[in-house]
Amino acid sequence: MNQRVVVDPITRIEGHLRIEAQMGEDNTIQSAYSSGTSVRGLELILRGRDPRDAWVFAQRICGVCTLVHGMASVRAVEDALDYDIPPNAQLIRNLMIGAQYIHDHVMHFYHLHALDWVDVVSALNADPKATAELAQSISSHPNSSPGYFSDTQNKLKKFVESGQLGIFSQGYWGHPEYRLPAEANLLAVSHYLEALAWQREVAKLHAIFGGKNPHPNFVVGGVPCPIDLNSDSALNSKKLSEVSKLIDLMQTFVEHVYVPDTLAIASFYKDWFKKGEGLGNFMTYGDFPISGLNGQNDLLIPAGVILNRDLSTVHPLDLNDPEQVQEFVAHAWYDYSVGKDQGLHPYDGETNLNYTGPTPPYKQLEVEKEYSWCKSPRWRNHSVEVGPLARMLMLVATGNEAAKELVNSTLSRLELPVDALYSTMGRTAARTLETKLIADMMQAWFRQLSTNIKNGDTKTFNDRLWDPSTWPKTAKGVGFMEAPRGGLGHWIVIEDGKISNYQAVVPSTWNSGPRDAQGVPGAYEAALQGHPLHDAKQPLEILRTIHSFDPCIACAIHLHDADGEENILQIQA
Ligand code: NFE
Ligand code: MG
């Protein structure tokens, strides 16, 4: 029998993910299996609660995409109860989501993904002067002197000499698939450290609008920050000018550090624009209302589905249609009252856990049976990829000029064909490009907010339906958004003023889910098929492709057991 390569846990992600790769000929992955191995709980504890409180619980699904489950939750209640949001609230929400993208994507690139491409230990061999020349040739970022880089090198030297690499321990350092020159490695390590300090600053934007970060505050019907330019406790002139400075800080780092570093690193790994292609099906739920500010039709990132890489046809997405969005559990540790092979739309969704796997610790997953705590969501039975690549493709397919320009100029700089986008490095580059696009949009949203305030519009909250006696006896709604990792939806059913069902289908469930009843793999599983491994004992290539999706398994698995216990079963090999 051919070898099975197991990576468990996959590190530098959020949550617990196990990958098993069944090797075929020529050290190539024949088939891969993705397993979410820990179980937490939140969907069921929302039942019976006041829908206006749901966001507080739902937001605890994840502390990485710290804001998005609060946002999806209030949007679900607003959809169900038909709340209108004032324009300023919508702009502030856009700014908060935008800040989440920028914070999250930069951190992902430097702190979770970069070390798949950057050999930290090799940076010790770099010439600081040559590194400064390299830095100055790709960017006007001010921290680019030889002294700056020799300082980084000295810090790194201390780590290595102490024998304790700390945050850099346990890498596959020296693996022959690392291809950057020592100077590029030193540059990237310097920016890894710089990004740590930068992210601490930019997190403040959420705190200004939402009181804190992580997990800023929300309110159904708007945002919980009143605007009064002359009040100490409200969003005043001083706080608005701080927001403006933070947006500049974000934009500058994205333009001067993140974008040039992505291009520089990608230029050494052009073969990775041909690996990790995946499903070729993409979906966006849509986000960032641009005018009208309440509608679902006028979004910066449109909703839709692209099948088989065909950008000429965008299939319309209706999240309320039970024929379109369904979750399957054929290969997941759950039961459905309708039977294991049926799909359920989230309004009728069920979370009945049923662990049938081997007793841990075990050697191999039982991939013919159930093997994950992730469900398998499908769009009209298609397995689809969500996330930055899906969004950039959707923007290009629907004619967004800024996105087209960013994609075309990047492909031409790297001398790559359009098909290069469908790859591990394409996914990573798409994340960088959308960050640039969103950073530019944040300036526009902030200008609009300032203009509204100048014109006397300070409304941020709508209390029209805050009285539950005015609600319909039964109501249901879906709150959707584009979280950093892709389309996120919360479906809520309200009866007699209380939540009767609540289901979240999140980006990392779409991407990390196991095979469905037809045996069709999820996005991670498909992307790993056909991957050559240089050395099965150091499967760096698996990390590269899995990290290109930026997994968050805390988001992907969020059920709750009947006794209210969390972490009832955690399996770690
Ligand atoms: Ni926990 Fe999340 C994002 C959501 S999961 S990080 O982005 O929703 O894919
Ligand atoms: Mg769910």
Side-chain angles (χ1 to χ4, degrees):
M1 199 177 107
N2 285 326
Q3 188 186 7
R4 172 105 31 124
V5 173
V6 178
V7 189
D8 183 7
I10 296 265
T11 54
R12 291 191 187 257
I13 65 165
E14 209 298 323
H16 303 281
L17 176 68
R18 172 184 177 103
I19 296 291
E20 291 196 4
Q22 183 64 44
M23 301 305 291
E25 302 306 313
D26 303 329
N27 291 326
T28 298
I29 297 176
Q30 195 173 53
S31 47
Y33 302 90
S34 156
S35 173
T37 57
S38 86
V39 94
R40 318 166 49 238
L42 286 157
E43 278 166 337
L44 296 186
I45 63 165
L46 283 156
R47 290 190 182 163
R49 294 186 190 274
D50 187 316
R52 293 165 299 181
D53 295 340
W55 68 267
V56 186
F57 296 88
Q59 204 176 37
R60 270 61 187 176
I61 288 173
C62 186
V64 174
C65 54
T66 160
L67 149 127
V68 303
H69 293 286
M71 184 75 74
S73 180
V74 293
R75 283 180 170 174
V77 181
E78 286 157 3
D79 184 49
L81 300 177
D82 203 16
Y83 274 64
D84 292 328
I85 310 303
N88 287 340
Q90 195 56 73
L91 286 165
I92 289 171
R93 287 184 182 183
N94 281 1
L95 287 169
M96 292 177 81
I97 302 169
Q100 171 82 76
Y101 272 51
I102 295 167
H103 182 267
D104 209 336
H105 286 354
V106 168
M107 290 205 53
H108 171 259
F109 183 76
Y110 288 101
H111 306 135
L112 304 180
H113 196 22
L115 303 189
D116 301 338
W117 315 101
V118 173
D119 187 340
V120 171
V121 177
S122 141
L124 290 176
N125 302 324
D127 170 11
K129 192 158 163 283
T131 310
E133 279 159 19
L134 170 68
Q136 288 159 18
S137 74
I138 62 169
S139 165
S140 55
H141 187 52
N143 294 344
S144 62
S145 66
Y148 172 74
F149 293 114
S150 62
D151 280 354
T152 307
Q153 219 171 20
N154 288 336
K155 266 187 214 157
L156 193 57
K157 224 176 262 167
K158 274 191 205 147
F159 268 130
V160 173
E161 281 167 3
S162 73
Q164 296 176 335
L165 278 169
I167 53 174
F168 299 127
S169 66
Q170 302 288 344
Y172 297 141
W173 313 129
H175 191 295
E177 281 297 309
Y178 280 118
R179 300 211 208 107
L180 296 184
E183 283 70 28
N185 284 320
L186 179 57
L187 179 73
V189 171
S190 305
H191 292 165
Y192 179 114
L193 299 174
E194 230 178 282
L196 278 175
W198 169 90
Q199 60 89 22
R200 191 181 56 220
E201 281 306 299
V202 303
K204 288 179 182 166
L205 188 140
H206 280 182
I208 291 173
F209 288 128
K212 64 193 178 72
N213 175 302
H215 297 142
N217 293 307
F218 279 92
V219 67
V220 171
V223 288
C225 56
I227 298 173
D228 180 344
L229 295 183
N230 301 313
S231 158
D232 277 348
S233 54
L235 193 58
N236 54 28
S237 308
K238 186 162 165 274
K239 287 183 187 153
L240 282 167
S241 104
E242 252 181 87
V243 168
S244 174
K245 281 191 203 131
L246 289 169
I247 294 172
D248 289 344
L249 187 70
M250 291 181 198
Q251 199 181 27
T252 311
F253 195 85
V254 170
E255 267 175 25
H256 291 178
V257 187
Y258 182 27
V259 172
D261 282 0
T262 304
L263 291 174
I265 290 174
S267 71
F268 287 94
Y269 290 104
K270 284 203 194 166
D271 53 328
W272 281 88
F273 282 100
K274 289 197 201 109
K275 293 178 188 160
E277 295 98 320
L279 297 162
N281 300 329
F282 300 91
M283 183 176 69
T284 53
Y285 285 11
D287 210 340
F288 301 113
I290 40 182
S291 68
L293 297 168
N294 292 311
Q296 297 174 356
N297 302 320
D298 198 10
L299 303 167
L300 171 67
I301 299 168
V305 180
I306 292 165
L307 296 178
N308 302 316
R309 303 184 178 185
D310 176 9
L311 299 189
S312 69
T313 309
V314 173
H315 302 269
L317 168 69
D318 180 354
L319 295 173
N320 283 298
D321 181 352
E323 300 288 311
Q324 292 198 28
V325 178
Q326 294 186 320
E327 285 195 297
F328 290 84
V329 294
H331 287 280
W333 289 307
Y334 301 94
D335 274 341
Y336 271 175
S337 58
V338 290
K340 279 284 268 190
D341 285 351
Q342 299 296 307
L344 286 176
H345 183 268
Y347 283 139
D348 305 312
E350 297 176 5
T351 42
N352 316 315
L353 48 142
N354 181 24
Y355 183 71
T356 55
T359 307
Y362 51 82
K363 282 213 166 61
Q364 247 177 242
L365 295 166
E366 296 176 326
V367 296
E368 302 309 320
K369 302 194 279 182
E370 296 86 4
Y371 62 91
S372 181
W373 287 112
C374 286
K375 294 178 181 174
S376 310
R378 293 292 181 264
W379 180 79
R380 292 195 190 280
N381 283 319
H382 293 283
S383 186
V384 298
E385 172 177 340
V386 299
L389 177 57
R391 287 191 284 257
M392 288 309 284
L393 292 171
M394 188 58 69
L395 286 165
V396 168
T398 53
N400 181 293
E401 289 302 328
K404 274 168 41 188
E405 163 61 25
L406 276 170
V407 168
N408 290 336
S409 63
T410 304
L411 290 174
S412 79
R413 267 186 72 171
L414 293 168
E415 299 175 325
L416 291 167
V418 173
D419 274 3
L421 292 168
Y422 306 103
S423 65
T424 296
M425 198 50 101
R427 217 168 272 124
T428 297
R431 186 174 293 106
T432 304
L433 297 184
E434 84 164 359
T435 312
K436 158 90 180 106
L437 193 94
I438 296 297
D440 293 345
M441 286 306 297
M442 287 188 66
Q443 298 284 6
W445 293 322
F446 183 73
R447 274 196 303 275
Q448 181 66 49
L449 177 66
S450 307
T451 306
N452 290 355
I453 297 170
K454 214 171 278 165
N455 292 339
D457 176 9
T458 55
K459 192 167 169 161
T460 56
F461 170 62
N462 174 5
D463 60 2
R464 184 172 62 86
L465 287 170
W466 196 245
D467 175 4
S469 70
T470 65
W471 299 354
K473 194 169 156 39
T474 60
K476 53 187 180 180
V478 55
F480 66 90
M481 65 169 300
E482 286 294 328
R485 286 157 198 77
L488 163 68
H490 286 198
W491 282 257
I492 191 169
V493 184
I494 301 168
E495 281 172 35
D496 296 323
K498 300 280 182 235
I499 297 169
S500 65
N501 198 9
Y502 198 100
Q503 292 285 324
V505 183
V506 319
S508 291
T509 322
W510 285 100
N511 288 340
S512 75
R515 280 157 175 73
D516 59 27
Q518 273 70 46
V520 178
Y524 294 180
E525 297 181 328
L528 286 170
Q529 267 168 30
H531 252 16
L533 295 188
H534 179 89
D535 172 3
K537 293 218 158 41
Q538 296 200 323
L540 181 62
E541 296 87 348
I542 292 179
L543 294 184
R544 287 179 173 172
T545 291
I546 292 297
H547 283 158
S548 75
F549 288 93
D550 189 6
C552 176
I553 310 304
C555 278
I557 308 166
H558 38 244
L559 61 89
H560 202 268
D561 85 317
D563 303 322
E565 294 291 323
E566 288 193 26
N567 287 315
I568 59 151
L569 187 53
Q570 182 164 343
I571 309 155
Q572 295 260 341

